[in-house]
Amino acid sequence: MKFFHMPVLILLVSTTVVWAMLLVCNRIALTAFDVDVYAMTCWQLVFGGLALVLMAPGRLIPWRQFTLPINWAYGVLRVLTGVSWTAALVYISAPESGILSQTGMPMAALAAAFILGRAPGKAEWFGHTILLAGAGFLAWHLPDGLANPAVWLMLASEVTAILSSVLAEKHPDNQIKDAWSHLRFTGVLLLITASVFLIFPPLIGFISPVPIPYTSLEGFLGTETILAGLILGTLLRGPAMVLTLRSIKTAGIEKYILATSILPFILLGLEMLAARFDLTPAPTHDSVFWISALLVMLGIIQITYSKRRHSRRLKALGATTPAGAAPTAPA
């Protein structure tokens, strides 16, 4: 059995590329245009959700989805994830945010082990340690070090991202096989998330580790903010959520998060391209960034290799275990 089937690999890589494009475009909107970060994210969710819900004319709008507590819990978590990451881009570059996001890898492994009952092999934890070393090395060398708001914003973003991924994997409506129904389900989640933005800003402020500015009416109705939300929401935010839910459903959160570990390198390439058109400041990454990136890459390689070995051992153990006997997972 292959560790990654080609269609699954294409799905996972596509998901990561679309998210990278969204993050770089968010940074362009923040640095080159007069947009409100909170309002822009909300508009992205609104327009992205509406585009998905209104697809396939003649199908009924799934109103029941708007009443499910699990969907609102998912919406709260996604709000915290999106706002925290977007706000972090005020303090650091998109590739740097990608490095700090690698703290999500060990979190995903812990969630898989203790919540989903899929314990990784022991050798895999060495790779997670390398990843944390890479993220920690970069964080230590940021202005103000670990006190830099971006460090805590990205940590909050990853904690909520992993929790929302667990909900997505366990969500019964994420198992829908009908493609149109799944698109509408995703659209509902985006609209609920947008509603959380508008209804619960005090709750978001209470949970967030650093102050996050709320949108004003003037900022919310700003022309550039609305246009950025419309364009990025329909072209990137909606598709990114569809691909994310499909990836989690198909591959599980461990492989999904492993695939997103290449995000810093895709972000670096996209940001360099944006800088050539004077849309973002030119990346000026020093040796600290490259050492962190190297550690991240080594961690990815170690985790991937360990997962492949663990998968083969489990397969071999299953093949040699007599019918009815309970196999014992190898280290």
Side-chain angles (χ1 to χ4, degrees):
M1 180 184 297
K2 293 182 179 179
F3 180 64
F4 277 125
H5 292 286
M6 186 56 66
V8 176
L9 181 61
I10 293 173
L11 173 64
L12 291 170
V13 172
S14 299
T15 303
T16 305
V17 170
V18 173
W19 275 116
M21 292 173 64
L22 177 61
L23 288 169
V24 171
C25 288
N26 279 341
R27 181 160 167 78
I28 292 172
L30 289 171
T31 57
F33 300 95
D34 183 23
V35 301
D36 183 300
V37 56
Y38 194 92
M40 180 189 67
T41 307
C42 185
W43 280 121
Q44 286 180 16
L45 295 165
V46 170
F47 288 119
L50 285 175
L52 295 175
V53 169
L54 296 178
M55 280 184 168
R59 290 174 176 257
L60 296 176
I61 295 176
W63 297 110
R64 181 187 67 87
Q65 294 283 353
F66 288 97
T67 66
L68 299 179
I70 189 175
N71 288 350
W72 286 90
Y74 183 87
V76 171
L77 292 171
R78 291 305 303 178
V79 165
L80 291 172
T81 300
V83 171
S84 298
W85 194 318
T86 303
L89 295 176
V90 175
Y91 304 96
I92 57 177
S93 68
E96 288 173 332
S97 74
I99 294 289
L100 293 182
S101 73
Q102 299 310 305
T103 55
M105 283 286 293
M107 294 181 199
L110 290 171
F114 293 104
I115 300 177
L116 302 174
R118 297 195 298 264
K122 291 181 179 179
E124 186 180 321
W125 294 110
F126 179 61
H128 292 299
T129 302
I130 298 175
L131 279 179
L132 288 176
F137 186 74
L138 176 65
W140 185 263
H141 288 86
L142 289 175
D144 298 324
L146 298 179
N148 189 302
V151 175
W152 297 99
L153 285 166
M154 288 305 304
L155 184 61
S157 181
E158 289 307 306
V159 169
T160 52
I162 297 304
L163 291 175
S164 65
S165 296
V166 171
L167 279 184
E169 181 169 339
K170 303 291 285 185
H171 201 304
D173 290 317
N174 195 31
Q175 316 308 317
I176 300 172
K177 293 185 178 180
D178 179 68
W180 291 113
S181 297
H182 194 269
L183 287 178
R184 288 177 168 241
F185 161 67
T186 307
V188 169
L189 290 183
L190 287 172
L191 291 174
I192 288 177
T193 304
S195 300
V196 174
F197 265 85
L198 299 177
I199 298 172
F200 300 119
L203 173 63
I204 298 166
F206 177 76
I207 298 175
S208 173
V210 298
I212 295 178
Y214 305 135
T215 184
S216 63
L217 182 62
E218 180 182 357
F220 194 82
L221 298 178
T223 302
E224 290 185 342
T225 300
I226 295 176
L227 284 176
L230 171 63
I231 295 170
L232 298 181
T234 54
L235 297 182
L236 292 174
R237 175 72 70 168
M241 277 302 301
V242 172
L243 291 170
T244 295
L245 292 176
R246 185 65 66 180
S247 295
I248 293 171
K249 170 189 173 183
T250 305
I253 64 170
E254 308 99 295
K255 292 181 181 178
Y256 164 67
I257 298 297
L258 178 60
T260 62
S261 61
I262 63 174
L263 188 63
F265 309 102
I266 299 177
L267 285 171
L268 180 61
L270 291 177
E271 194 162 272
M272 291 176 63
L273 180 62
R276 292 196 62 178
F277 292 93
D278 296 324
L279 296 174
T280 60
T284 55
H285 302 302
D286 55 14
S287 59
V288 170
F289 174 83
W290 293 113
I291 291 173
S292 300
L294 175 61
L295 288 171
V296 166
M297 179 58 71
L298 291 175
I300 294 170
I301 294 172
Q302 168 64 20
I303 292 171
T304 304
Y305 175 73
S306 299
K307 281 186 174 294
R308 289 176 63 90
R309 285 189 61 196
H310 190 61
S311 178
R312 289 170 181 169
R313 286 183 179 179
L314 289 178
K315 180 184 176 184
L317 186 64
T320 58
T321 301
T328 301

